[in-house]
Amino acid sequence: MFNDSDCLRILEEAMSTTADFAEVFQEVTESKSVSLLNGQVIRAATGFDSGTGIRLLSGTNSVYVYSSDNDLEVLLKLAKEAAAAIKGNDKGQIEALKDLCKTSMTRIEIDPMSVPKKDMVDFLRKSSDYALNYDPLITQVAGSIASSVRTAKIINTRGVNTEDTTNRIRLSVETIATKDNEKQSGRVAPGTMKGYEFINEYPIIDKTKECCDTAIRMVNAGYAPSAKMPVILSNGFGGVIFHEACGHALEATAVGIKMSYFTDMLGQQIASPIVSARDNARIEGEWGSYGTDDEGNTSSDLLLIENGILKNYLIDELGARRMNAKPTGCSRRQNYSYAPTSRMSNTYICNGESDVKDIIANTEYGLYATQMGGGSVDTSTGDFNFAVNEAYMVRDGKIAEPVRGATLIGKGQEILKNIDMVGNDLQLAAGMCGSVSGGVPVTVGQPTIRVSSILVGGREA
Amino acid sequence: MDIKTAEKFMEKLVKAGTEYGFEECEASFASESSMSIDILKGEVASYENSATSTLSFRGLKNGQMGYCSTNILDENSIDFLLKSAMENCEVLNDEDPQFIYCDEDNKDLYYSQITDAYAKNTYKAFEELGLKLEKAILALDKRIDAVDYLSIACSTGPYLIINSKGLHSYRDTDGISLVGTARAIDEDGSVKSGGHYWIGKDIDDFDQEKFLQKFKENLIGKMGAKSVKPGTYKTVLKAEAFHQFFTVFFGNFFATPMQRGLSLLADKEGTKIASDVFTVREVPMYDKALTKIPFDDEGVLTTEKAIIDHGTFATALYDLKSANKAGKKSTGNGFRSGSAVSEMPTNLIVEAGDKSFDELLEEVGEGIILTDLSGLHAGVNAISGDFSLLCEGYLIENGKKGRPVEQITVAGNFYDVIKSIKSVGNDIINLPSGEGEFFTPSVYVGELAISGDDEEN
């Protein structure tokens, strides 16, 4: 890491022309991972990466330069090039640097970086051994543990001087069932900002069994039907529907250039009155949390929707300039090679009042999606899609046969209004989100919800 | 970090690796410089410039290959790299041996393809082109509301590998990409987005008129789109959509997933897996490809070959490890993804048919054209080949392109689709894929299940 005076020299170079704001972002990331396939350790890797990004703003124009070479002279040259490229009218000032503010939403008992890889292998082997002896239909089991510690230091011309540390660890188990020419999988992939104690305490055998059961059920399942119908989305990773159908459209990245269907809708009803939602980066130990965002702002717990009314957008510095608003502490980037922009953290639909049993009992015919895959959205049109990895038909208020191969599609702005039941079993789940500033860890979440009508894209008419 | 400094460091590292106790070891260095601009509302909204490099080390001990990477090249890094790679070797128990390789007849591999044209890629040149293009897009149709994204980028960089067996392998590449998307609003307030892309080596090769024509077709052509009745439709995957479709399942042609039981193509080499009219070739030095690849990242020379030859699965793609396991020779498809080596294709070419796109539609008569598939990262089961994807396109009515279609899904199985291909067009496009590019025409794939909304019809 550079010292403050080096950072200030870079800022001075960056502000030598017409920028009104400049920022230095320095990052160091250490990572380690192991992967097993059918009990064999097929990959063990270690990495150390560092680099620096320099951003200049002048109104809504931006220049971003970065390098993995942390040599001060290299960065001063880059800052000079950036200063020559920025377009603007006024020359901004550099304010006095504040005292360093160190933050972290990580709480660690056992540092994953100190854990021998052999222990990680032994843990994963328990899962492999169990799965391979579980049922003849289970033909493959893959497992991995990946951990990283990232420290990001930000100094900018407003005197911001912050350093945020995030220790993340993610476990993944995937089992594959094979029948005739068909293969289906079951998967769990919890992620956290706790220490290695999370792995030690994880009920690996129970979860491996769940993966095996899912894979076996799905390999025996028929195809999902194709039709519009009520869809019940299970808690936890079901929250990917909100992430795709609504969350991305609330980011200033889209709203700031009026590219979102939720542009200029603060205070308006955008969802069913039984829907409230938050984006909370301040949940200690949660996968998508952070103490300080990648622009040096304190992270926040933001109420996005209250009883269906749009209350807040997710706003970064550039978005704030475009929207004439204030940043909300949600600016993120995969690493130094990306300029930051507004992103989600831990985003979830809040608990409602319905019991899950009642939601199912009240559904005469529909789809009950218990495991989601990923999805995507076009924020200008609202077209979204997401995949269902495990699902069941619901008939006469009861869970019926399992079905596979379903994709749910719709318009984001419509789907939120069609939520007609919200359960009381809120759960969060870890995932990765890709967007203009790269892939960042996010948590999605929700209680079990029912949408009155979604187009289910299956194979059977 | 310049290549000469890196080279000295790598030589020192490889020597230190052998002394540290690795039986064989290898260092690779990848460096990339890039520059891009984004145009928004008549000005350059953002400008990026970067220089990044990564050094990877891998060492062999008792048949196990340990990896470690960093971007810091100093004395401390040597200790870190060797110690970490050795620790990784000690926990590995992969049954299949890996190799550090050097062909005695091809120790010094060198291939540079950076052209003088790269120097034209200046901030000023990109700005002029971008601003002119944005204006031209907005002038295409009065319904176009905004150009949401217009980015021009170029990058260049060397790649060097040195190993303890004497391999010294150098390759470099450069290129330009231009991507634009715009939004159009119909009289009824409905919004559509669409755009186009261009990749090339020389900015002077950019044909603005051709680009705009395609851009307009991809955006304005969608206006007034609505869903269709669910059912089974004769389906043409337009070149871009076939590119998306084939690429997402192409991992099944790699030997490693086959050997791990993760590809249904295992043991199918030499058997019929696709329609007679379907041939896919790998041509690493293809004259029309922007990037030519004479050797892979393991120091193996690449070869031209059929992967699917008139429907027969001719060969899988092998790297040294998977080839050894299969008792075969590497096909020169070992490339680094991150630091680890795995199979990747170079330049893939679907052999063109003799029909134009319009003639394909005539052959179909009544059916559907799919132009874009969404959610490919989630809506496919890459192993079983099952897919269910959001898509858009056009109806085919009386053998001609009909009204635009949206809010539908297409579902089926990859292996069934390639078996039922009826005809291949001659309208070839190329897009980056794997280490090189994928050249594909539009393909009439037979019948597929389409879900749509009955109420909208």
Side-chain angles (χ1 to χ4, degrees):
Chain A
M1 289 280 171
F2 287 131
N3 59 38
D4 292 353
S5 63
D6 287 346
C7 287
L8 283 171
R9 277 186 67 193
I10 296 169
L11 288 182
E12 279 164 13
E13 196 65 74
M15 297 290 281
S16 61
T17 58
T18 57
D20 63 46
F21 171 86
E23 155 198 278
V24 176
F25 174 87
Q26 284 192 285
E27 184 188 40
V28 176
T29 303
E30 197 179 341
S31 59
K32 63 192 279 192
S33 63
V34 295
S35 305
L36 266 69
L37 181 74
N38 293 344
Q40 278 188 63
V41 188
I42 57 162
R43 185 164 155 74
T46 310
F48 186 89
D49 193 25
S50 73
T52 306
I54 305 164
R55 187 166 64 137
L56 284 64
L57 297 176
S58 179
T60 54
N61 291 325
S62 75
V63 173
Y64 191 65
V65 293
Y66 62 91
S67 174
S68 61
D69 192 337
N70 292 301
D71 184 86
L72 180 61
E73 293 307 316
V74 170
L75 292 166
L76 285 170
K77 185 169 171 279
L78 266 181
K80 194 173 182 177
E81 285 171 16
I86 192 82
K87 302 213 167 181
N89 300 317
D90 303 316
K91 188 171 185 300
Q93 302 295 314
I94 302 175
E95 293 174 25
L97 210 58
K98 292 169 189 159
D99 290 337
L100 177 66
C101 173
K102 281 192 173 190
T103 55
S104 178
M105 295 304 291
T106 307
R107 291 295 173 270
I108 282 186
E109 286 171 30
I110 304 169
D111 178 5
M113 291 298 151
S114 71
V115 175
K117 288 209 178 80
K118 187 181 172 302
D119 292 5
M120 297 158 78
V121 168
D122 289 346
F123 179 85
L124 291 170
R125 194 163 277 137
K126 282 191 280 188
S127 166
S128 295
D129 291 349
Y130 180 85
L132 292 172
N133 290 304
Y134 183 73
D135 189 291
L137 286 177
I138 299 295
T139 52
Q140 298 283 332
V141 54
S144 68
I145 296 174
S147 64
S148 67
V149 51
R150 174 217 203 214
T151 302
K153 179 181 168 76
I154 296 150
I155 282 184
N156 73 25
T157 50
R158 292 199 201 109
V160 161
N161 184 6
T162 62
E163 193 177 293
D164 189 57
T165 303
T166 48
N167 294 60
R168 290 194 168 91
I169 186 160
R170 194 163 195 199
L171 166 71
S172 164
V173 173
E174 183 172 26
T175 60
I176 290 170
T178 305
K179 189 180 173 189
D180 303 325
N181 227 7
E182 183 61 44
K183 287 178 188 285
Q184 289 286 328
S185 67
R187 184 168 185 255
V188 289
T192 174
M193 290 223 300
K194 293 173 185 159
Y196 198 78
E197 66 279 4
F198 171 77
I199 299 292
N200 286 338
E201 292 161 10
Y202 192 75
I204 186 70
I205 299 301
D206 292 350
K207 293 292 180 183
T208 304
K209 181 178 185 303
E210 283 176 23
C211 290
C212 293
D213 289 340
T214 296
I216 291 168
R217 270 196 300 270
M218 287 301 108
V219 86
N220 286 312
Y223 288 108
S226 296
K228 262 194 166 177
M229 65 181 78
V231 175
I232 300 165
L233 293 146
S234 183
N235 63 353
F237 204 70
V240 72
I241 191 172
F242 183 77
H243 178 99
E244 298 300 348
C246 183
H248 279 297
L250 295 179
E251 292 167 344
T253 317
V255 180
I257 56 171
K258 300 187 184 298
M259 200 182 132
S260 162
Y261 42 86
F262 290 138
T263 303
D264 298 329
M265 290 188 78
L266 275 185
Q268 293 186 39
Q269 188 92 34
I270 63 161
S272 156
I274 56 171
V275 172
S276 294
R278 307 192 83 89
D279 182 81
N280 184 358
R282 301 200 62 78
I283 308 172
E284 200 170 274
E286 193 54 59
W287 176 247
S289 296
Y290 48 87
T292 303
D293 78 356
D294 289 341
E295 289 179 337
N297 301 306
T298 304
S299 59
S300 59
D301 173 9
L302 208 59
L303 179 63
L304 299 174
I305 296 171
E306 186 176 38
N307 301 325
I309 309 290
L310 178 58
K311 290 291 182 181
N312 279 294
Y313 294 112
L314 296 159
I315 307 172
D316 62 316
E317 174 70 31
L318 196 56
R321 289 168 179 237
R322 289 181 174 140
M323 293 165 69
N324 197 21
K326 284 187 176 166
T328 59
C330 63
S331 195
R332 304 182 69 188
R333 47 183 135 193
Q334 179 179 323
N335 57 36
Y336 62 87
S337 66
Y338 294 87
T341 191
S342 52
R343 301 293 293 270
M344 287 174 265
S345 58
N346 306 305
T347 316
Y348 57 90
I349 294 178
C350 305
N351 258 331
E353 292 173 356
S354 298
D355 198 86
V356 180
K357 282 181 194 158
D358 295 336
I359 297 177
I360 294 163
N362 274 305
T363 306
E364 197 179 325
Y365 175 78
L367 187 80
Y368 179 31
T370 56
Q371 297 277 338
M372 293 328 132
S376 61
V377 66
D378 179 337
T379 57
S380 58
T381 62
D383 294 334
F384 76 82
N385 68 88
F386 63 107
V388 182
N389 289 349
E390 183 177 0
Y392 301 83
M393 296 311 297
V394 177
R395 298 177 196 280
D396 302 324
K398 290 188 179 68
I399 298 170
E401 76 277 11
V403 288
R404 63 183 158 94
T407 285
L408 308 182
I409 67 163
K411 296 270 186 188
Q413 55 274 51
E414 290 166 13
I415 217 83
L416 291 172
K417 289 184 175 162
N418 293 341
I419 295 175
D420 62 358
M421 292 185 93
V422 178
N424 53 14
D425 57 341
L426 171 64
Q427 202 177 73
L428 304 179
M432 291 298 290
C433 169
S435 186
V436 286
S437 63
V440 297
V442 295
T443 303
V444 298
Q446 65 175 33
T448 302
I449 63 166
R450 186 176 73 177
V451 184
S452 59
S453 176
I454 304 186
L455 182 61
V456 177
R459 273 219 251 178
E460 307 298 328
Chain B
M1 175 72 61
D2 68 85
I3 193 80
K4 286 284 170 206
T5 312
E7 186 175 0
K8 277 185 189 158
F9 181 86
M10 291 161 78
E11 282 165 357
K12 198 169 168 183
L13 176 64
V14 167
K15 188 165 176 284
T18 315
E19 288 162 4
Y20 193 80
F22 287 104
E23 291 147 13
E24 299 291 350
C25 60
E26 186 170 89
S28 67
F29 176 79
S31 178
E32 183 179 84
S33 300
S34 69
M35 191 262 282
S36 71
I37 64 163
D38 288 355
I39 302 288
L40 189 69
K41 293 181 185 166
E43 56 185 37
V44 179
S46 81
Y47 159 62
E48 268 194 28
N49 193 353
S50 74
T52 55
S53 53
T54 304
L55 186 119
S56 297
F57 175 84
R58 59 177 191 159
L60 200 60
K61 178 84 177 171
N62 300 326
Q64 304 297 324
M65 190 78 84
Y67 285 88
C68 184
S69 65
T70 182
N71 61 355
I72 297 174
L73 276 59
D74 61 21
E75 286 298 321
N76 294 335
S77 298
I78 291 183
D79 289 341
F80 167 74
L81 289 162
L82 300 181
K83 193 174 161 225
S84 302
M86 189 61 88
E87 188 203 359
N88 291 332
C89 274
E90 283 162 4
V91 296
L92 287 160
N93 67 338
D94 196 344
E95 284 175 0
D96 304 321
Q98 294 199 57
F99 305 91
I100 300 285
Y101 177 83
C102 179
D103 175 354
E104 282 301 314
D105 298 328
N106 294 286
K107 280 189 161 190
D108 278 306
L109 301 173
Y110 179 87
Y111 190 74
S112 179
Q113 52 192 320
I114 292 175
T115 61
D116 292 342
Y118 193 80
K120 294 179 196 164
N121 299 328
T122 62
Y123 175 52
K124 192 165 171 288
F126 282 8
E127 179 179 348
E128 278 173 13
L129 175 60
L131 291 173
K132 193 173 69 167
L133 197 56
E134 189 194 36
K135 267 189 195 167
I137 291 168
L138 289 168
L140 280 173
D141 190 288
K142 62 178 192 303
R143 288 169 291 183
I144 298 179
D145 184 52
V147 177
D148 289 325
Y149 182 70
L150 180 56
S151 180
I152 310 173
C154 63
S155 66
T156 182
Y159 187 52
L160 178 66
I161 301 171
I162 291 172
N163 72 28
S164 56
K165 282 194 158 168
L167 179 72
H168 187 284
S169 166
Y170 175 93
R171 199 171 72 221
D172 58 30
T173 187
D174 58 6
I176 312 167
S177 66
L178 186 156
V179 182
T181 57
R183 177 179 9 145
I185 304 176
D186 220 341
E187 286 155 2
D188 64 357
S190 63
V191 180
K192 293 307 287 178
S193 72
H196 197 38
Y197 64 89
W198 174 78
I199 53 171
K201 282 270 195 190
D202 187 339
I203 195 169
D204 289 343
D205 291 343
F206 177 70
D207 183 336
Q208 183 167 309
E209 283 315 304
K210 203 169 150 190
F211 180 89
L212 288 170
Q213 192 189 341
K214 192 82 182 165
F215 197 104
K216 187 175 179 181
E217 185 187 324
N218 292 350
L219 175 59
I220 299 303
K222 293 178 180 177
M223 305 302 284
K226 55 181 186 171
S227 194
V228 298
K229 281 183 187 168
T232 304
Y233 288 72
K234 290 179 183 174
T235 305
V236 170
L237 292 179
K238 193 138 182 22
E240 286 85 352
F242 190 77
H243 178 281
Q244 294 174 312
F245 177 75
F246 194 77
T247 303
V248 79
F249 290 107
F250 191 68
N252 288 306
F253 289 86
F254 300 167
T256 298
M258 289 176 197
Q259 292 169 356
R260 291 177 176 169
L262 299 173
S263 167
L264 297 181
L265 291 173
D267 305 322
K268 296 266 172 69
E269 280 168 284
T271 67
K272 193 95 172 35
I273 59 160
S275 155
D276 288 342
V277 297
F278 193 53
T279 293
V280 182
R281 304 186 64 76
E282 187 189 33
V283 186
M285 300 298 282
Y286 190 44
D287 56 358
K288 289 179 185 162
L290 298 173
T291 304
K292 296 169 183 64
I293 305 167
F295 39 82
D296 72 4
D297 292 352
E298 296 188 294
V300 178
L301 301 187
T302 55
T303 55
E304 183 176 333
K305 57 196 165 282
I307 293 167
I308 300 173
D309 188 359
H310 295 92
T312 299
F313 179 22
T315 181
L317 304 187
Y318 294 90
D319 60 14
L320 286 169
K321 180 185 173 185
S322 59
N324 177 69
K325 189 176 169 81
K328 297 192 172 194
K329 277 190 172 177
S330 167
T331 52
N333 290 99
F335 291 95
R336 278 187 165 82
S337 167
S339 58
V341 171
S342 60
E343 295 102 347
M344 292 285 273
T346 59
N347 292 304
L348 292 178
I349 297 136
V350 173
E351 206 161 87
D354 53 8
K355 284 185 177 160
S356 69
F357 181 65
D358 288 343
E359 285 167 340
L360 273 188
L361 303 190
E362 273 174 36
E363 182 187 342
V364 173
E366 306 293 321
I368 202 161
I369 306 162
L370 301 181
T371 56
D372 188 47
L373 309 174
S374 299
L376 287 140
H377 63 298
V380 301
N381 181 330
I383 302 172
S384 71
D386 281 350
F387 60 89
S388 174
L389 298 162
L390 171 66
C391 51
E392 54 187 18
Y394 301 87
L395 285 178
I396 304 169
E397 295 164 323
N398 298 318
K400 294 200 178 336
K401 187 165 107 175
R403 71 161 172 89
V405 168
E406 65 162 9
Q407 286 290 301
I408 57 169
T409 66
V410 60
N413 181 279
F414 171 72
Y415 297 104
D416 295 339
V417 169
I418 58 172
K419 273 187 205 124
S420 50
I421 289 173
K422 308 280 181 215
S423 292
V424 179
N426 61 9
D427 54 336
I428 287 184
I429 60 150
N430 62 316
L431 275 166
S433 193
E435 292 295 306
E437 288 148 73
F438 185 28
F439 295 75
T440 174
S442 299
V443 179
Y444 170 22
V445 296
E447 293 190 336
L448 285 173
I450 302 285
S451 304
D453 189 353
D454 258 332
E455 292 162 20
E456 293 203 19
N457 292 278

